[in-house]
Amino acid sequence: MLPHPIINDFVIRFANVNGTGSASANNMFAKAIFRMGIPVTPKNIFPSNIQGLPTWYEVRVNEKFYLGRREGIDIMLSVNPQSMLQDIKDVKPGGYFIYDNSKPLHKEYIREDIHYIGIPLTEITTKEYSDPRQRMLFKNIIYVGALSALIDMEMSVLQALVEEQFKGKEKLIAPNHHALDLGSQFIKNNYKYPLEFRLERRNLLQNKILFEGNAACALGAIYGGATVAAWYPITPSTSVVDAFSDYASELRVDEKTGANNYAIVQAEDELAAMGMVIGAMWNGARAFTATSGPGVSLMQEFLGLAYFAEIPAVLIDVQRTGPSTGMPTRTQQSDILISAYASHGDTKQVLLIPNAPDECFEFSALSFDLAEQLQTPVIILSDLDLGMNDHVSNPMKWNDRKYKRGKVLTKDQLDKIQRYGRYLDTDGDGIAYRTIPGTHPTKGSFFTRGSSRDEYAIYTEDGNAYKRNMDRLSKKWETIKTYVPKPELFQKENQSKFGMVFFGTSHYSALEAKDYLNADGISLDAMRIRSFPFTKEVVDFIESHEFIFVVEQNRDAQMRTLLINELEINPKKLIRILNYDGMPITAEHIKREIKQSLNVDHLQMAEMQHG
Amino acid sequence: MTYQRPSFRHPELPLNELGYRKKDYEGSLSTLCAGCGHDSISAALIQACFELNIEPHKLAKLSGIGCSSKTPTYFLGNSHGFNSVHGRMPSVATGANLANRDLMYLGVSGDGDTASIGMGQFVHLIRRNLNITYIVMNNGCYGLTKGQDSATADKGSKSKAGSVNPFQNIDLAGLAIELGAGFVARSFSGDKLQLIPLIKAALAHPGFAFIDVISPCVTFNNNVGSTKSYDYVRHHIDATATFDFVPLAKEITTHYSAGSTQEVKMHDGSYLKFNKLQKDWDPTKKETAVHAMHKANEAGEILTGLIYINEDSKDLHQILNTNSRPLNQLTETDLCPGIHKLEEINKSLC
Ligand SMILES: Cc1ncc(C[n+]2csc(CCOP(=O)(O)OP(=O)(O)O)c2C)c(N)n1
Ligand code: SF4
Ligand SMILES: [Mg+2]
């Protein structure tokens, strides 16, 4: 009897070798599913290496819009002998292992509980192509063709993608179409198809895009008016500046003169990168840097200067697995505390935490307004999963608006002022007026410094003046709470005594887990934190629940610590739900952990659940 | 405790061509030790900017941390200033300069600030040829942290406490030439006649201009045996030349004897006119400049004056091909591609 078809709900993993051209074929595969209107989540799993080591590409297909990662591989497509043994072990019982059977498999590679589909990729490419490089590249296209037959992927969609990819190099279209055919024909001639895991067009993604977070951050910086980018290369943030450079060279070149309306500097280290950003923003341009954990560590001193001297700055931190070099090509949300309290002395920094490419774009553009309005650094906390993988997302939105430059005095305004005081809180919101160098010949200049000064920016070691300034910064912090994005709430009214709090890329898995728990009779209210300092809505949500599960991707429950510390919450109320193996968090994991904490020791909670 | 200068002005003080008095280039009262070399450099800076007719607000002064880095409070009070963090002024200046290429930039640092904690940023600043005048107030010690040896202290120099420095010194001027700086000079805080025209020429130079100014620390490094004391420096100075900085469209007034003179035309049309004191030295030829320095070193002398100049290099803005309109003056209209472009981009991602 044929197994029951499983439509639009499976995980396929490609086991490749780094540097063999598999990435573009794999992207085409995921994009084709997207074009069929079926929600899809591709993830690169790659080593910190340029060529020769195993890499994987994992694609989850799920028409219910469960876009987080899912555990368990239904179909493994293997073209890497080096990782084959492990790859076979990773297939779920009843799943499929697709491999190059140009050579027969050794006995130890045979499992009784999975299916094997051999495709003689090497044999086919040796016969078809004489150039070794072509053999390597077309192997990838052939397996995509084979998959199209196996999982009912529309061949016309794949063909169209090839045509788009080779626009301008039309000669390459026919050979790629041919390679797709070779794969598909081989399956049709030799196997029963399609498999029970298969696709069916749904057209659910008409108003969606497939995009990666880093490029979206870069585009946000273009729209937000960044003219100076200073950076030091580090995975997984490098592609932010790469993308900024690409967009800028297209969108930011003066038509008449050919001159650039931007400057990108590859700095000598992250200290210098942050110094350049601060110098540029002090001087009235919009500037940003992008880095990851080790770079954030190096920027600490400068972040304190910018906080204390009240200089705008934008830092995009694409988090990876720390501490130290950790697992540099794996994801994590572990720079929460170092960012929130960056630098020595009493400091607090503004954080924006996007969950998807559209929000990367929005927050990146917004960060320049906020940094200038609030006269302080703004740190965007993205992560490797969001930054370096394609995500189904709402389209990026923009309203053609004026930039909000905050309180900056013009020459005319300075003329009307008796005595200018850089740190005078004239409006009572803790935010004083800035001047930009070069504005006025005799008024408005001052000496910016990281040492204490009075309201008129004059150096002083008077403890009272120092304290007044620190208190004003506290007042400003209160003002900031009314400027930063509010959390996303997932219910109109609270339904439960249990709340679930998450942020960034835990979004989809958390909501999926919420559905599963709900199906099991456990109802939860949910909130996605989008910024720091915590706004009133965050406080309200936490206060109105008896227990809160705080879902995050780090070992030490850093967001939980931040909540406890800032809101003075009883630690017992906040329950850690953690994932820190470097892989994106899954719904299964969240569900398991929440259930466990409900069953095991929280008798009280169990009572509440029934009561 | 703040120190503001009394604002009394003598009505007959001379005005410069822009109508500013020297007073307009001064800052707050110095809080450095009486006799500190750094104060003389501040005075030279004030004089040079006054004579050069610089609009005070069209210059930005940046510094790191140290006694030397405090000095921007004591000159050019009408200019914006930025006392940044220890050793990192070059990066802040780079960002500032990228934001507005129309201002002049003056970087002030110490030998600790530049030759130790800030060495990385210093060499990369030269590599990028930022258009800035960079002055190191070099006292061979860390004044602000009470006199420890710095990396520019000469081997064998004796500290106030009597210990002898066992390490080789770092020669910042030599290093700057080696790294390709287009304007390299050395001077002495006590030699106003040399320092003022050097500062003027440096400000007129269109790229990175470096002046290593030996500036004795009277409190921690002015003892017998120190090679950075007033006495020692005065007795060991050996100048490359006496020279005049002749601003654009000014007549040359000094007359030198034929043969030993050399003129260098600067990028903006100004002139440098040298009366050379060194044989075989030509400020536009790197080999001869390096040779002159080595020769002086061997003789135990301190070579001062302009050592090397090259007016033909591209500064960072030229390298990056940035708009001649300063980046900080561009608005939404220039910078934001707009809704329709975004819709197009969204479409390309479907
Ligand atoms: C990161 C950091 N480390 C150490 C210090 C302490 N510190 C202040 S000034 C200084 C040395 C300054 O020496 P130099 O640049 O030669 O200036 P001088 O006081 O001699 O003019 C040091 C080490 C600091 N401010 N910041
Ligand atoms: S300690 Fe030395 S360098 Fe500092 S102010 Fe006094 S004399 Fe000058
Ligand atoms: Mg010193």
Side-chain angles (χ1 to χ4, degrees), chain B residues 111-112 115-116 138-142 147-154 165 169:
Chain B
D111 43 319
S116 287
N138 183 355
N139 54 16
C141 72
Y142 291 5
Q148 300 82 358
D149 280 346
S150 81
T152 65
D154 292 308
N165 172 34
N169 75 310

Side-chain angles (χ1 to χ4, degrees), chain A residues 223 260-261 268 283 403 448, chain B residues 83 96 128 321 323 328 332 338:
Chain A
Y223 271 73
N260 295 329
N261 285 334
E268 54 271 33
N283 214 3
Y403 296 148
T448 302
Chain B
N83 190 192
R128 295 191 185 100
N321 187 31
N323 200 327
N328 73 351
E332 304 78 22

Side-chain angles (χ1 to χ4, degrees), chain B residues 32-33 36 38 67 139 143-144 216-220:
Chain B
L32 302 183
C33 308
C36 173
H38 301 351
C67 296
N139 54 16
L144 195 60
C217 169
V218 288
T219 306
F220 297 111

Side-chain angles (χ1 to χ4, degrees), chain A residues 27-28 30-38 40 157 160-162 164-165 201 204-212 247 390-396, chain B residues 342-350:
Chain A
N27 284 333
M28 181 164 82
K31 188 75 178 231
I33 300 174
F34 176 85
R35 288 270 174 97
M36 290 173 69
I38 308 162
V40 58
V157 172
L161 283 168
V162 165
E164 284 167 35
Q165 190 186 342
R201 179 176 275 279
L204 292 171
L205 305 177
Q206 258 131 352
N207 194 30
K208 299 279 187 219
I209 59 171
L210 188 66
F211 202 26
E212 51 166 60
Y247 283 124
D390 276 333
H391 295 262
V392 171
S393 159
N394 287 323
M396 295 171 280
Chain B
L342 189 65
E343 277 165 7
E344 223 176 85
I345 294 172
N346 276 326
K347 221 178 249 154
S348 75
L349 301 169
C350 286

Side-chain angles (χ1 to χ4, degrees), chain A residues 74-107:
Chain A
D74 300 306
I75 303 170
M76 177 76 76
L77 187 131
S78 156
V79 284
N80 184 4
Q82 202 187 336
S83 62
M84 199 181 265
L85 202 55
Q86 185 58 42
D87 291 335
I88 290 170
K89 284 190 190 137
D90 287 342
V91 179
K92 267 170 78 170
Y96 290 83
F97 185 75
I98 307 171
Y99 68 107
D100 184 351
N101 66 347
S102 303
K103 273 195 238 152
L105 277 188
H106 196 267
K107 255 209 196 109

Side-chain angles (χ1 to χ4, degrees), chain A residues 169-326:
Chain A
K169 299 182 205 155
E170 274 74 11
K171 270 205 313 223
L172 294 171
I173 294 174
N176 276 280
H177 280 175
H178 177 62
L180 285 172
D181 269 345
L182 284 172
S184 148
Q185 281 311 324
F186 181 84
I187 295 298
K188 290 181 178 167
N189 295 339
N190 295 282
Y191 290 96
K192 273 199 201 125
Y193 67 96
L195 309 178
E196 70 268 35
F197 299 106
R198 64 183 83 153
L199 302 171
E200 215 168 79
R201 179 176 275 279
R202 282 291 182 265
N203 298 335
L204 292 171
L205 305 177
Q206 258 131 352
N207 194 30
K208 299 279 187 219
I209 59 171
L210 188 66
F211 202 26
E212 51 166 60
N214 281 356
C217 279
L219 196 59
I222 294 274
Y223 271 73
T227 51
V228 176
W231 69 300
Y232 188 78
I234 184 169
T235 304
S237 71
T238 297
S239 52
V240 174
V241 180
D242 286 347
F244 182 78
S245 170
D246 288 347
Y247 283 124
S249 62
E250 184 199 331
L251 302 168
R252 282 290 194 73
V253 178
D254 190 293
E255 272 175 30
K256 276 179 231 125
T257 61
N260 295 329
N261 285 334
Y262 67 96
I264 301 173
V265 182
Q266 185 182 320
E268 54 271 33
D269 53 34
E270 287 87 346
L271 286 83
M274 184 45 87
M276 290 175 197
V277 169
I278 287 171
M281 290 203 81
W282 171 77
N283 214 3
R286 292 189 154 189
F288 76 99
T289 183
T291 190
S292 193
V296 179
S297 289
L298 289 183
M299 292 172 184
Q300 292 285 308
E301 187 186 18
F302 260 133
L303 284 168
L305 171 77
Y307 170 83
F308 189 61
E310 298 180 70
I311 301 162
V314 171
L315 158 59
I316 299 169
D317 174 16
V318 188
Q319 299 166 94
R320 65 187 209 184
T321 306
S324 191
T325 307

